[in-house]
Amino acid sequence: MNVDFYEKIWMWAAVGIIVVFLASIGITTFGMAIQPPSHVEMIDPETVLADEEFGDPGVTINVDGSATVVVRAFMYGFVPNEIRVPRGRPVTFRLTSPDVIHGFQIVGTNGNTMVVPGYVSQFTTRFDRAGEYLIVCNEYCGLGHHVMAAKLIVEDVAAGTGGAR
Ligand code: CUA
């Protein structure tokens, strides 16, 4: 079979592009742990404020030393506004919104999810560097979108501690 020289170039270019795309998915998924949240859980947005969990959001340190962070995103802020988590431990974020779609991006980390009314967004990550991180809303949600921010503080915890505080 005779394939024209230029056609060969384009065929191999197409193969190369597919390889690059698949490799980038593989590297971000397995190397950088960036992946879409797979958790599906629904909640009635009208009852979020009265909800046992989301009516009183905050950080819980579990007995194994991991942390669960419940966050309510709203126009225009996050509750709690300052989140303290232990360094090097699994941290599970659970978020919902009583009003419109918001974003929750922990700048400089792989912590990033949409917060959609009617759903609980959940993801687990770990922070290996202590310090302060900025959390921003990255979905346009109205006139106050640009002021919608919070702070994450990753703290060193003494070895062996892991109980509730
Ligand atoms: Cu909330 Cu933008």
Side-chain angles (χ1 to χ4, degrees), residues 74-76 101-103 137-142 145-146 148:
F74 66 99
M75 292 154 83
Y76 298 101
I101 294 176
H102 297 283
C137 174
N138 59 8
E139 295 280 341
Y140 183 74
C141 52
H145 164 70
H146 63 289
M148 189 167 167

Side-chain angles (χ1 to χ4, degrees), residues 63-139:
V63 282
D64 63 358
S66 66
T68 303
V69 183
V70 176
V71 179
R72 197 171 69 226
F74 66 99
M75 292 154 83
Y76 298 101
F78 298 98
V79 186
N81 191 253
E82 192 178 292
I83 300 166
R84 286 176 182 274
V85 297
R87 183 177 72 84
R89 304 274 172 85
V91 180
T92 297
F93 289 86
R94 289 175 52 75
L95 308 102
T96 196
S97 161
D99 42 53
V100 300
I101 294 176
H102 297 283
F104 182 85
Q105 179 177 3
I106 309 168
V107 178
T109 75
N110 69 346
N112 185 358
T113 186
M114 282 174 88
V115 187
V116 183
Y119 292 88
V120 175
S121 303
Q122 179 175 305
F123 65 91
T124 301
T125 187
R126 208 183 61 188
F127 304 97
D128 291 328
R129 197 163 45 86
E132 277 190 27
Y133 296 81
L134 175 68
I135 298 171
V136 294
C137 174
N138 59 8
E139 295 280 341

